Amino acid sequence: MFERSRKGERALLLQPRRAGDSAVSRNIEEVDEFAELARSAGATVVGSLGARIDKPNPKFFVGSGKAEELKEQRAALDADLILVNHALSPVQERNLEKYTECRVVDRTGLILDIFAQRARSHEGKLQVELAQLKHMSTRLVRGWTHLERQRGGAIGLRGPGETQLELDRRLLAGRMKQLEQRLEKVETQRNTAKRARQRNSVPTAALVGYTNAGKSTLFNTITGAGVYAADQLFATLDPTLRRMDGLACGPVLLADTVGFIRDLPHDLVAAFKSTLAETREADLLLHVVDAADPEHDQRIEEVRRVLEEIGAQDVPQIFVYNKIDKVEGARSRSESIDGGQTARVWVSAVTGAGIDLLRDALTTALQRDRVHTWLAVPDHAGRLRARLIAAGFVSAERPAERGWDIQIDAPRALIEPLFGLPDGEGNWLRTQLESTQAVAAPKRSTAKNQRPKVSAESSDSR
């Protein structure tokens, strides 16, 4: 792996602003967030330069006049690198570096660098390295044109030869293929563990939300785990699962996942696909929102976009408004929206206020999407009984006069595929469950319906 920024380097920030954008407060928020990203990478911010972009310049991204101003300010501040709050093309990045005589890192490279510093698990390091190499592979153009061809010209080897650039591309391609193979093996191990959880009928809830919303602190408060939590961006990269007991719906596995951010690099999303699968395949999402953040409505929208990108937009959600201890006059409470399908809970992970309300909301949501009932299985349906037991769906059983009475306790999503069993067994199971109203649950709401109304939310969370 490589890290583009180094701890203690003096960084000058270039903050592009979209032309015609009247959302001044929004731009200020983005500027502050990018400065925090730079500090999270270990850089010392020594200055910031704004730039209005009517149309991106194909050479420098900014205009030639702004590029000259950037060069002068870099020299005056003695900055070691320039951080650009926007994705740059390889040509733009190289031209800026040559013109300003300073290393240039765009937003994507900066986020990748932070991930490289924070990854701790074997899988996380592989994922970050793969994303970095994909990003680096697009920035090799003309990087080695000063070198001679490596082969060619000798007897029996005459031909076009191979340049250093071509060698680098081939080496990068080979390394990326190797990383992808290793990640496939890790993903196979993860899927094996997931199937074991499914056989044990243990539902999974995943914490999602914007970075630094307090997910890890909330995770520690609910589960008693001691995972690393800090007031910084991307404090958590590697997913952690802990078992929650004492709920009326039975045991639940809670997963702490990586935080999202605006313009999350696509290469990073692709590399973290197995980690983000914990979010996509969860039975329930706890969408953690920083209630003290004045831009929390925009944060909700950014998280919704990422959930759509990874295919998790239809997973049921509970909106958890955290950090109410930082909001004057706020109190812990719970309410329902979307006709009772989605809950909103106001809590404080630091003080513990509202945690009991959150556990109650979690229980209600999981029970609604779970089959828990007794079935009278006749003696001629022994094969169906054996299937249910093998799948781990039977929590209790007692002999009956003409068969067995079995208690089903499993997620509905795992039982419904059995409705297609041959010889009428699937239809019988469907009929029995429908008669007990075990599967008469409301349809999942779409992400659009799950999202709170912005106007109402601003007043409710204060």
Side-chain angles (χ1 to χ4, degrees):
M1 293 188 297
F2 67 94
E3 297 180 9
R4 298 292 304 273
S5 61
R6 291 293 184 268
K7 191 170 184 179
E9 284 186 315
R10 297 167 58 83
L12 171 61
L13 308 185
L14 177 60
Q15 305 275 11
R17 180 172 63 86
R18 294 178 296 273
D21 192 348
S22 59
V24 177
S25 61
R26 169 74 171 175
N27 281 307
I28 293 175
E29 182 68 23
E30 291 179 2
V31 168
D32 293 341
E33 179 186 83
F34 190 64
E36 183 61 29
L37 275 175
R39 286 188 284 269
S40 296
T44 301
V45 179
V46 296
S48 178
L49 179 64
R52 174 178 170 176
I53 305 298
D54 294 305
K55 184 179 179 181
N57 186 306
K59 183 177 181 181
F60 294 128
F61 180 70
V62 295
S64 57
K66 185 61 67 173
E68 178 64 27
E69 183 180 354
L70 181 66
K71 178 180 180 179
E72 293 175 355
Q73 187 165 345
R74 200 283 307 173
L77 296 174
D78 192 26
D80 300 311
L81 76 158
I82 296 172
L83 301 177
V84 183
N85 190 13
H86 199 279
L88 299 179
S89 69
V91 174
Q92 291 167 342
E93 182 176 314
R94 186 172 62 254
N95 288 340
L96 272 179
E97 285 185 343
K98 183 177 180 180
Y99 187 76
T100 60
E101 299 177 348
C102 179
R103 188 157 52 89
V104 175
V105 179
D106 67 354
R107 181 183 177 87
T108 300
L110 180 60
I111 293 177
L112 289 175
D113 183 83
I114 296 173
F115 272 61
Q117 295 180 31
R118 304 279 167 79
R120 293 293 179 268
S121 70
H122 173 65
E123 181 184 11
K125 292 178 180 179
L126 291 177
Q127 290 167 329
V128 172
E129 183 178 359
L130 178 59
Q132 285 181 315
L133 290 179
K134 286 183 177 180
H135 183 67
M136 182 182 181
S137 64
T138 65
R139 281 155 168 74
L140 292 178
V141 181
R142 299 181 182 274
W144 300 91
T145 52
H146 63 286
L147 296 180
E148 297 293 336
R149 295 185 182 276
Q150 302 300 304
R151 292 199 302 271
I155 297 176
L157 294 176
R158 297 186 187 279
E162 187 174 28
T163 64
Q164 180 67 50
L165 174 61
E166 291 166 340
L167 275 173
D168 285 348
R169 282 176 172 167
R170 180 161 54 82
L171 291 173
L172 280 177
R175 178 59 178 168
M176 286 190 289
K177 183 177 180 180
Q178 185 183 45
L179 290 173
E180 289 171 349
Q181 291 173 344
R182 290 185 181 181
L183 284 173
E184 287 177 1
K185 185 179 293 186
V186 174
E187 187 173 1
T188 300
Q189 296 171 349
R190 183 185 294 275
N191 290 335
T192 301
K194 181 180 67 178
R195 285 194 295 270
R197 295 198 303 267
Q198 291 175 343
R199 284 196 300 270
N200 294 329
S201 304
V202 180
T204 302
L207 290 167
V208 299
Y210 209 79
T211 182
N212 207 27
K215 296 184 297 298
S216 296
T217 304
L218 182 62
F219 181 80
N220 290 336
T221 301
I222 296 177
T223 65
V227 300
Y228 178 72
D231 185 15
Q232 62 183 19
L233 303 180
F234 300 118
T236 300
L237 292 185
D238 305 313
T240 305
L241 280 83
R242 290 292 186 274
R243 180 184 173 112
M244 295 175 57
D245 293 308
L247 299 179
C249 62
V252 176
L253 284 178
L254 185 63
D256 185 20
T257 62
V258 62
F260 301 150
I261 197 170
R262 180 179 60 86
D263 299 331
L264 193 64
H266 293 288
D267 287 340
L268 201 58
V269 173
F272 274 69
K273 63 179 181 180
S274 60
T275 300
L276 295 173
E278 295 289 351
T279 299
R280 184 175 61 253
E281 297 169 2
D283 300 290
L284 180 69
L285 300 182
L286 300 184
H287 185 162
V288 183
V289 182
D290 184 355
D293 186 352
E295 301 289 333
H296 68 269
D297 292 324
Q298 285 77 15
R299 304 299 190 220
I300 292 174
E301 184 65 22
E302 296 292 346
V303 172
R304 183 189 67 81
R305 291 196 186 100
V306 178
L307 290 177
E308 286 184 347
E309 187 174 355
I310 65 177
Q313 68 273 17
D314 292 333
V315 181
Q317 296 184 33
I318 294 177
F319 289 90
V320 184
Y321 287 84
N322 190 25
K323 303 185 183 181
I324 60 172
D325 53 297
K326 295 184 178 181
V327 180
E328 184 178 357
R331 58 182 178 82
S332 60
R333 66 187 189 278
S334 176
E335 66 180 36
S336 298
I337 58 177
D338 297 335
Q341 296 307 301
T342 306
R344 294 189 296 190
V345 186
W346 280 261
V347 305
S348 171
V350 174
T351 65
I355 298 300
D356 290 339
L357 296 176
L358 177 58
R359 294 171 70 92
D360 292 342
L362 182 64
T363 298
T364 301
L366 289 176
Q367 283 180 333
R368 185 170 56 236
D369 202 43
R370 194 172 182 87
V371 175
H372 185 79
T373 187
W374 283 90
L375 291 180
V377 180
D379 50 13
H380 62 77
R383 185 168 57 180
L384 174 62
R385 168 180 168 270
R387 287 179 182 272
L388 293 173
I389 293 176
F393 298 158
V394 178
S395 59
E397 181 184 29
R398 61 194 180 203
E401 184 177 350
R402 297 183 178 180
W404 308 268
D405 290 334
I406 61 175
Q407 187 180 45
I408 303 295
D409 185 12
R412 181 178 298 100
L414 298 182
I415 291 182
E416 288 180 348
L418 298 180
F419 293 165
L421 291 175
D423 301 327
E425 292 182 348
N427 290 333
W428 181 87
L429 180 61
R430 181 200 299 270
T431 302
Q432 292 297 311
L433 292 178
E434 288 178 348
S435 65
T436 60
Q437 298 182 350
V439 294
K443 295 181 179 179
R444 286 182 173 180
S445 303
T446 62
K448 179 179 180 181
N449 292 334
Q450 290 175 351
R451 190 174 72 253
K453 294 181 180 179
V454 173
S455 58
E457 191 51 55
S458 298
S459 59
D460 287 346
S461 62
R462 295 294 179 213

